[in-house]
Amino acid sequence: MSNESSCGCGGCGCGSNSNEGLTITAKPSEETMNQSTITLKIAGMTCGHCVASVSEELNEVPGVSNVEVILSAGGTSTAVVTTNSPVENSVLEAAVTEAGYTLVSASA
């Protein structure tokens, strides 16, 4: 008896000879399952230095795992903050203020 099936995987026995439509989904890790995203609207940012300052301050907040800042020079910029544990909006606001900018709003 051969260990090779018609799909070529080595023995699943599915009988398929095509990989078309095959989707592999990794099991989410504990960290990924506990992540949440908070969108911050920030006023006063005008350049790449502003982005770097805000990113640096937000990344120092305990529980923050990722920060992506979308600059709208002269308008209201957006920071998407990914957390792996609960973070109070007041802590995020303090980080934005420390960087020298104004938090307009925060939404989960």
Side-chain angles (χ1 to χ4, degrees):
M1 182 171 187
S2 170
N3 284 338
E4 189 172 326
S5 68
S6 58
C7 73
C9 76
C12 74
C14 71
S16 173
N17 59 4
S18 169
N19 289 331
E20 187 175 328
L22 177 66
T23 302
I24 299 172
T25 305
K27 179 180 175 186
S29 68
E30 183 78 25
E31 183 177 303
T32 303
M33 290 174 55
N34 292 327
Q35 285 184 339
S36 63
T37 303
I38 302 168
T39 302
L40 307 177
K41 297 295 184 179
I42 303 169
M45 298 174 62
T46 60
C47 65
H49 180 265
C50 300
V51 170
S53 295
V54 168
S55 296
E56 181 180 337
E57 290 297 331
L58 289 171
N59 273 310
E60 290 181 9
V61 172
V64 171
S65 59
N66 189 51
V67 175
E68 180 183 346
V69 179
I70 303 157
L71 177 65
S72 177
T76 304
S77 299
T78 302
V80 179
V81 179
T82 304
T83 63
N84 54 21
S85 63
V87 176
E88 295 291 326
N89 287 348
S90 60
V91 175
L92 298 174
E93 181 175 16
V96 169
T97 301
E98 178 69 23
Y101 306 96
T102 305
L103 180 66
V104 176
S105 67
S107 60

